[in-house]
Amino acid sequence: MARAVGRPIKPGADLLLNDDAKPAYVRLHDIGRERRPRPLQEFLNDVGGLMLSAEAPAVASFVAGKVLQRLLKTGKMRPEGQPLPGAPQGLDDAIGHLAKSGRKYEAIAGQFQALADKLLWRRGRSGPFASLNFGNTHSHAVLVGPGGMEERADLRVGAIYMDRYTRFPDHVQTQPRAFLLLSPAEISLGDSQWFSAATGTVFANDAGQSFAIRCTARPLLAVWCQVEPETNG
């Protein structure tokens, strides 16, 4: 699906942005005042290193680079001990597969394991071509950004989890977005055919393009990031 020139993309068309409520945006003068927890900082460092590697596509590195530049300053951390729904069933399995995917993924798996129960996991809305029972086989969370472990309005770093043999519905992205696969997956970007991608694959999809992703015998785990549009309030 190509971009519709002159037609704004409604946020509801982007199924990764199904915020339950308007986030409590952090005031500009609060940015940079708090220290980021070590597991989160190390996770962002290691994921950022993969997204900026020489093997990553230039477009994905461009998006990730803008996010990482803003991450030099911190947002407001969610208070420890705040009750949250548990991480999705099967996530441990996905993290276990990641830890066995190579030495460079062992640290990322451990970091994400330490963060998983501190994230607000949301069930995704279904849509075109989604697998049956999609609402029970998919969850996503924001690590940094609106509603995230680190609250801020200028960017998002999110995670996607799906059970085995789950297909995310086709949807249109509101912003350019970079992805890092932490498991094997099959992907369709815009008008492209489905293609298989291994753990560690980095790719980007532009605003206004459709996006679809699915997994087969292994659960899916992926990280994505984007710069948020400017807001007036």
Side-chain angles (χ1 to χ4, degrees):
M1 183 182 297
R3 180 182 301 184
V5 178
R7 295 176 60 187
I9 306 166
K10 295 181 179 180
D14 193 330
L15 297 181
L16 281 176
L17 307 183
N18 65 325
D19 300 326
D20 293 337
K22 185 177 180 180
Y25 287 150
V26 179
R27 293 171 296 181
L28 185 60
H29 66 261
D30 286 334
I31 294 290
R33 288 192 173 189
E34 298 191 33
R35 182 179 295 274
R36 190 172 284 138
R38 182 174 179 179
L40 178 59
Q41 184 63 66
E42 291 180 345
F43 180 79
L44 295 173
N45 290 345
D46 289 351
V47 165
L50 293 175
M51 287 186 164
L52 297 181
S53 67
E55 295 78 19
V59 175
S61 292
F62 178 73
V63 173
K66 291 196 295 184
V67 170
L68 291 168
Q69 183 179 32
R70 296 188 182 202
L71 284 172
L72 293 174
K73 294 184 177 181
T74 59
K76 188 171 183 59
M77 300 302 153
R78 182 187 293 128
E80 290 286 341
Q82 182 174 338
L84 295 170
Q89 291 185 352
L91 182 61
D92 285 345
D93 191 16
I95 294 173
H97 283 303
L98 176 63
K100 298 174 184 177
S101 298
R103 291 188 61 184
K104 64 182 178 181
Y105 301 113
E106 290 178 7
I108 292 176
Q111 294 151 8
F112 196 79
Q113 185 75 70
L115 298 172
D117 288 332
K118 298 179 175 65
L119 302 176
L120 176 58
W121 291 94
R122 304 174 187 271
R123 295 294 189 183
R125 291 184 288 115
S126 190
F129 308 111
S131 54
L132 294 175
N133 203 29
F134 174 74
N136 296 321
T137 59
H138 160 265
S139 296
H140 61 240
V142 175
L143 289 91
V144 183
M149 179 180 174
E150 177 181 328
E151 180 77 47
R152 57 195 296 162
D154 58 336
L155 61 90
R156 293 192 198 221
V157 179
I160 309 170
Y161 168 79
M162 296 197 304
D163 290 345
R164 297 173 178 83
Y165 301 104
T166 298
R167 186 200 195 285
F168 200 98
D170 289 22
H171 67 286
V172 179
Q173 296 187 174
T174 57
Q175 300 296 318
R177 188 172 295 158
F179 294 82
L180 168 64
L181 291 181
L182 299 179
S183 68
E186 297 178 351
I187 306 159
S188 175
L189 306 175
D191 296 324
S192 76
Q193 298 294 315
W194 286 94
F195 63 92
S196 297
T199 300
T201 298
V202 176
F203 63 95
N205 202 40
D206 200 4
Q209 284 192 330
S210 63
F211 171 73
I213 191 168
R214 64 191 181 191
C215 58
T216 54
R218 287 189 180 181
L220 179 138
L221 185 60
V223 180
W224 58 272
C225 65
Q226 70 177 46
V227 173
E228 288 288 282
E230 296 293 332
T231 60
N232 297 320

